[in-house]
Amino acid sequence: MRSGKKTTLPNAEIPIDAPSCNLRRDSIESPALATVPPFLSRMFSPPIVCAVLMGGTLLLGLVSIAASFLSFHYLYAKALALSRTGQVLFFTPDFHQHMRVRLQFVGAFSLAVTALLLTFRRRVFRFLEILTADAAMFGRRIASEWNAIPAQDLWEIAAIVCVAALLRIPLLSQPMRYDEAYSVTTYASRPLYVGLSLYTQPNNHLFHTFLVHIAYVLFGNRPWALRLPAFFAGLFLVPTTYVAARSLYRTESAILGAALTASSSVLIEYSTNARGYSLVCVFFTMLIPIAAYLMRNQGWTGLFLFSIFATLGFYTIPIMLYPVGGVAAWMLLSAAAGDAKSPGRIVSGLLVAGLLTAVLTTVLYSPVFAVSGPGSVFTNSIVRPLSTRVFLSELPASFVSTWRYWNRGLPLLLILTLAAGFGISLIGHIRCSRFRIPLPLALAAWLVPILFIQRVVPFERVWTFALPLYFSASAAGLVLVARRLLNSFPIRHGMTLVMAALLLWTAWYVRRGDIIYSTNEGRGIQDTAMYLKPRLTTGDSVLVTITSLAPLEYYFLKQGTPIAYLNAPVSHRLFVVVNQVADDTLAKVFASREIEPPRQPGKAVARFDTVVLYEIPATE
């Protein structure tokens, strides 16, 4: 973004474009405040914001301390009432005692923060006034950047968003997958005080759980409704990818990167999957233009927005550490390379943003820390550190698998073209970028040591956030080549034609291959649940592997069938669910439950899509 001269408030010694905690009373009055819309100035006026901050911390402290005095028997009865299995194995007297201590600590900390805010309310008040004035100047710069976007690009982005919606809407009602079904039944469908404090598995993407709970309350327990937060995040990812690419590279490549994002089968899948990964993608692509802005224009508003989006990403999934750290590393390297207006301010600004992000994230996670404990967040029960030898042996295969995953459903010619474009964008970075340091390389420089410290091999889906950046860099490299080869051809019109052809081509490939639906392990599970409902009687058991368990539990609960039948002790008939998407066999299902297969062969009584249901009668 363009940078202007250093601007100061009238009669003030504090530059607006420089973070500073030395706030003066005479910096309050500013004509910049007049540019803020009246309803926003009233809603976010310093007195109201101060009151909300103090009221929120006071309420959190009082509620936490009051909750710590609730008896074990009362809370255990509440937990049993919310349980769908009639058991609450984790809620023991020892767990309750530790939870009481954590609640009291959170309460005391919140009350201490309230006291600090009250003691230094004048300084907080003055800082908020400075922030309001800086926000007005930030808004003017953003408006200037918005006016610089060609009208043709706006129409093209609108068209791409429409195509993205058409590719995603038919998949909103696809069968529920394992992870999203587990997240909905365990967290999002429960009361918020349960869903936002219980962190028994990393499946609980807290901010996404909050949004899904709202959709659940408003529209009911319907798959398309539960996927609305991910769906709208997937659509919003198209314009945010454009803005991110425009802030890094030449504008002609931004529209191509947005088109690739709209038609990627991986991004389509996570736009129609009730999980938080599409939200993390959005927050990452929003951090990029803010970081680019801060390189040219230092200010409180940019740092504050950087912290807000980073915090929301962390509150969604802790893997936000990867993209946030990558962007921060890029800013530091770019500042050292001479891209920043004031390198020293970049360092101090990142320290302030990092501190604010840590504070806000801690506040949002405080219910989890109080109820489930910090270990539930920082000690991942799914991904554990490996030995160095095993880590080094498995990491290359993981990267190859991720590469195949990113290019899933794309034609080979396009895969090779995008790879070549990405390489060209790195080699000729100075010619196609606004900055000297490539963001992909800075991201890699951050991720390599972090992975070695963690010694974990992340799942392929963890890297989904970087896919829009890869598309944007590839588009930038291809545009650089096109400029050299087609000097006399209007490059903007050429990119429009390429974008339209590429969007339609990839969309046709994705729809023709039907790869998203074909990999859904929930196919046929709803019909299986409907078939079993009138046939299950006392003593029956439904044997199922872990892959099909959560989807079947979701549909059992949705239609009112007791989930106690699932993997229950057998005293009568036995139904066995064999899911071919999960490569199940009868022997594999029995082995997964450590049960000896019966002597009499099972009889296939029904088949629904890729699910075969076997019935084994009771033995005398």
Side-chain angles (χ1 to χ4, degrees):
M1 293 188 179
R2 294 183 295 273
S3 60
K5 297 180 179 180
K6 181 178 291 187
T7 306
T8 58
L9 289 175
N11 304 318
E13 298 177 1
I14 302 172
I16 283 298
D17 63 349
S20 174
C21 294
N22 183 21
L23 306 178
R24 295 171 53 93
R25 184 66 178 173
D26 53 8
S27 66
I28 294 176
E29 301 299 332
S30 171
L33 291 173
T35 64
V36 180
F39 74 95
L40 285 179
S41 63
R42 289 192 295 269
M43 184 181 303
F44 297 102
S45 62
I48 292 179
V49 174
C50 284
V52 169
L53 287 175
M54 287 188 287
T57 54
L58 177 63
L59 180 63
L60 177 61
L62 294 177
V63 169
S64 298
I65 292 177
S68 70
F69 289 100
L70 296 175
S71 68
F72 169 77
H73 297 290
Y74 175 80
L75 292 176
Y76 186 74
K78 283 285 187 182
L80 278 179
L82 291 171
S83 173
R84 295 183 174 114
T85 61
Q87 293 180 319
V88 190
L89 299 179
F90 74 92
F91 199 83
T92 62
D94 184 62
F95 177 89
H96 175 254
Q97 182 59 31
H98 285 87
M99 186 182 74
R100 288 186 67 234
V101 174
R102 292 191 295 264
L103 283 170
Q104 290 170 359
F105 176 81
V106 170
F109 179 79
S110 300
L111 293 179
V113 172
T114 304
L116 287 174
L117 290 173
L118 186 61
T119 303
F120 298 100
R121 62 187 181 278
R122 292 185 181 275
R123 291 181 179 271
V124 175
F125 185 81
R126 293 171 189 172
F127 168 73
L128 290 173
E129 289 175 324
I130 292 292
L131 181 62
T132 303
D134 183 61
M137 301 183 69
F138 177 84
R140 285 200 297 271
R141 291 187 179 120
I142 296 302
S144 175
E145 292 292 331
W146 172 263
N147 293 332
I149 297 177
Q152 177 182 336
D153 282 16
L154 296 178
W155 284 107
E156 289 174 359
I157 287 294
I160 294 172
V161 170
C162 291
V163 173
L166 292 175
L167 290 172
R168 288 158 172 78
I169 288 175
L171 293 168
L172 282 177
S173 296
Q174 66 177 310
M176 293 290 285
R177 297 172 181 263
Y178 172 83
D179 282 327
E180 59 179 343
Y182 182 88
S183 299
V184 169
T185 56
T186 308
Y187 307 113
S189 62
R190 306 295 183 92
L192 280 179
Y193 64 83
V194 174
L196 300 185
S197 64
L198 193 64
Y199 204 86
T200 54
Q201 294 289 341
N203 292 61
N204 192 2
H205 300 170
L206 291 166
F207 183 57
H208 181 260
T209 295
F210 171 74
L211 297 177
V212 173
H213 180 81
I214 293 176
Y216 176 86
V217 171
L218 292 177
F219 305 110
N221 188 10
R222 300 178 176 89
W224 65 264
L226 303 173
R227 291 164 173 152
L228 286 180
F231 171 74
F232 285 114
L235 295 186
F236 193 57
L237 184 60
V238 173
T240 59
T241 298
Y242 170 84
V243 174
R246 184 180 170 87
S247 66
L248 292 176
Y249 303 105
R250 296 185 183 276
T251 57
E252 293 85 358
S253 63
I255 199 72
L256 190 58
L260 290 166
T261 297
S263 56
S264 165
S265 71
V266 173
L267 296 176
I268 292 173
E269 176 182 334
Y270 280 102
S271 298
T272 56
N273 190 337
R275 308 286 285 132
Y277 293 100
S278 56
L279 285 173
V280 172
C281 290
V282 169
F283 295 138
F284 173 53
T285 53
M286 295 180 78
L287 283 180
I288 294 173
I290 294 174
Y293 172 87
L294 290 172
M295 298 294 293
R296 306 300 192 198
N297 307 278
Q298 295 295 313
W300 282 110
T301 303
L303 291 174
F304 184 72
L305 288 176
F306 189 97
S307 299
I308 290 297
F309 291 131
T311 299
L312 290 176
F314 278 114
Y315 192 50
T316 304
I317 316 178
I319 62 166
M320 191 68 185
L321 174 68
Y322 297 150
V324 169
V327 173
W330 174 72
M331 293 177 68
L332 292 174
L333 292 173
S334 296
D339 282 330
K341 183 179 178 181
S342 175
R345 296 273 174 80
I346 291 295
V347 176
S348 60
L350 283 175
L351 289 175
V352 172
L355 179 61
L356 181 58
T357 300
V359 170
L360 293 175
T361 303
T362 301
V363 170
L364 289 175
Y365 271 91
S366 58
V368 171
F369 294 155
V371 175
S372 301
S376 64
V377 179
F378 297 110
T379 306
N380 193 323
S381 60
I382 303 299
V383 180
R384 296 186 179 277
L386 304 172
S387 67
T388 302
R389 183 182 60 82
V390 175
F391 170 73
L392 291 176
S393 64
E394 293 186 3
L395 189 62
S398 174
F399 285 148
V400 171
S401 178
T402 300
W403 171 254
R404 292 172 178 169
Y405 184 62
W406 277 15
N407 293 287
R408 187 187 68 181
L410 294 179
L412 179 60
L413 177 60
L414 181 58
I415 294 173
L416 297 177
T417 302
L418 291 178
F422 183 76
I424 293 170
S425 73
L426 296 181
I427 297 171
H429 180 74
I430 298 299
R431 295 186 179 89
C432 65
S433 176
R434 300 171 183 265
F435 300 92
R436 291 180 176 88
I437 303 298
L439 177 55
L441 288 185
L443 184 62
W446 162 256
L447 290 174
V448 169
I450 289 297
L451 289 178
F452 272 88
I453 292 172
Q454 294 179 319
R455 296 199 319 277
V456 299
V457 179
F459 297 113
E460 291 87 349
R461 59 179 177 269
V462 168
W463 307 118
T464 303
F465 73 88
L467 192 50
L469 177 62
Y470 169 72
F471 287 147
S472 300
S474 298
L478 295 176
V479 169
L480 181 62
V481 173
R483 280 183 173 276
R484 292 295 185 92
L485 297 178
L486 304 172
N487 290 328
S488 60
F489 189 79
I491 191 66
R492 181 168 297 279
H493 299 307
M495 283 300 102
T496 299
L497 295 175
V498 171
M499 179 275 297
L502 184 63
L503 185 62
L504 294 176
W505 187 26
T506 54
W508 176 74
Y509 246 84
V510 170
R511 292 301 300 164
R512 187 195 69 166
D514 206 19
I515 193 169
I516 298 174
Y517 181 78
S518 65
T519 58
N520 188 333
E521 64 272 17
R523 295 165 57 188
I525 295 294
Q526 182 177 14
D527 293 331
T528 301
M530 294 176 63
Y531 176 88
L532 289 171
K533 181 179 180 179
R535 292 171 173 81
L536 290 173
T537 59
T538 303
D540 289 346
S541 177
V542 180
L543 200 63
V544 59
T545 60
I546 188 67
T547 305
S548 303
L549 179 60
L552 197 57
E553 182 178 279
Y554 170 82
Y555 287 113
F556 267 36
L557 292 171
K558 193 172 187 295
Q559 67 186 15
T561 304
I563 62 174
Y565 287 114
L566 299 175
N567 294 328
V570 183
S571 61
H572 191 227
R573 285 181 304 172
L574 178 64
F575 291 96
V576 183
V577 177
V578 175
N579 190 335
Q580 294 177 347
V581 174
D583 295 325
D584 285 348
T585 62
L586 268 176
K588 180 180 177 181
V589 177
F590 280 105
S592 69
R593 305 304 304 173
E594 298 181 352
I595 298 175
E596 286 292 331
R599 295 180 179 178
Q600 64 271 37
K603 174 186 177 184
V605 293
R607 183 185 183 98
F608 305 104
D609 205 329
T610 58
V611 172
V612 180
L613 184 65
Y614 290 86
E615 179 181 345
I616 299 174
T619 57
E620 297 297 334

